């Protein structure tokens, strides 16, 4: 922005799946696996991973799950999806075998920070993006389990329609956001 003072950027933060063409946005941001085929996509972040986590206090009371099916015997903290209103099914994968696990527990949240606090307090297991639990994992307030069931997946991408000629300003923005490992 300092290099191009005439360029104006407006951000609209919303976790729903907006139709950028209908809603007249120049671009949107989505995970690589959720991109429509007719869109142009530019990677703006690294690959991501999910993590099944719990506190040492929780694991002092309950044995750690060894396979996804063990989650049925645990108090799991559910995430209510803001886009659909449904509960998120935990997506696990190992050696090309994908499974979706519907978990049960006493707590349902629609906010990852609240889920991290509940898991840290020993109230159950959670399934969140690794990046949202990095600090509590590093300082051992949380422990990761079933790590071999959480492969990486394509991270965030800026996407835009292929039916419009991008302006010079938009091309500069795309280049500035492009992920460079």
């Amino acid at each position: 922005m300092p290099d191009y003072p005439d360029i104006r950027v407006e951000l609209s933060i919303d976790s729903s799946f907006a139709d950028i063409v209908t809603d007249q946005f120049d671009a949107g941001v989505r995970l690589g696996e959720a991109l429509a085929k007719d869109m142009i996509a530019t990677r703006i972040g690294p690959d991501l991973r999910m993590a099944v986590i719990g506190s040492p206090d929780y694991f002092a009371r309950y044995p750690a799950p060894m396979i996804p099916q063990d989650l049925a015997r645990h108090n799991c903290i559910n995430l209510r999806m803001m886009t659909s209103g449904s509960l998120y099914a935990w997506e696990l994968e190992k050696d090309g075998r994908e499974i979706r696990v519907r978990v049960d527990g006493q707590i349902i949240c629609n906010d990852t920070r609240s889920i991290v606090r509940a898991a840290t307090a020993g109230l159950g297991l959670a399934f969140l993006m690794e990046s949202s639990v990095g600090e509590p994992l590093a300082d051992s307030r949380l422990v990761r389990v079933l790590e071999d069931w959480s492969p990486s997946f394509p991270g965030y991408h800026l996407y835009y329609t292929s039916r419009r000629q991008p302006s010079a300003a938009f091309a500069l923005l795309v280049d500035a956001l492009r992920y460079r490992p």
Side-chain angles (χ1 to χ4, degrees), residues 47-73:
D47 282 352
L48 301 171
R49 285 183 73 196
M50 298 296 288
V52 178
I53 47 102
S55 73
D57 179 55
Y58 181 88
F59 290 123
R61 294 175 302 185
Y62 306 101
M66 303 305 288
I67 58 174
Q69 292 79 359
D70 292 345
L71 293 169
R73 295 190 297 272

Side-chain angles (χ1 to χ4, degrees), residues 16-132:
S16 66
F17 282 106
D19 180 335
I20 62 169
V21 175
T22 301
D23 295 340
Q24 298 182 356
F25 289 110
D26 291 322
V29 175
R30 285 193 185 161
L31 293 173
E33 59 191 18
L35 295 167
K37 300 295 181 217
D38 62 339
M39 294 288 168
I40 297 172
T42 300
R43 179 183 282 268
I44 60 172
D47 282 352
L48 301 171
R49 285 183 73 196
M50 298 296 288
V52 178
I53 47 102
S55 73
D57 179 55
Y58 181 88
F59 290 123
R61 294 175 302 185
Y62 306 101
M66 303 305 288
I67 58 174
Q69 292 79 359
D70 292 345
L71 293 169
R73 295 190 297 272
H74 284 272
N75 193 12
C76 296
I77 304 164
N78 267 297
L79 172 66
R80 174 128 2 240
M81 302 298 290
M82 286 193 246
T83 52
S84 65
S86 63
L87 297 180
Y88 176 66
W90 295 13
E91 300 170 277
L92 301 164
E93 180 184 341
K94 182 176 180 180
D95 300 328
R97 180 176 165 223
E98 297 177 23
I99 61 172
R100 290 175 153 256
V101 180
R102 297 226 174 259
V103 298
D104 194 27
Q106 293 178 287
I107 299 174
I108 300 171
C109 295
N110 67 352
D111 170 63
T112 57
R113 286 175 287 175
S114 297
I115 293 173
V116 171
R117 284 194 296 272
T120 303
L123 300 178
L125 300 182
F127 188 61
L128 296 169
M129 278 201 204
E130 194 176 63
S131 58
S132 66

Side-chain angles (χ1 to χ4, degrees), residues 132-146:
S132 66
V133 293
E135 187 177 314
L137 280 173
D139 65 19
S140 301
R141 287 180 288 147
L142 290 173
V143 176
R144 185 175 191 158
V145 294
L146 297 175

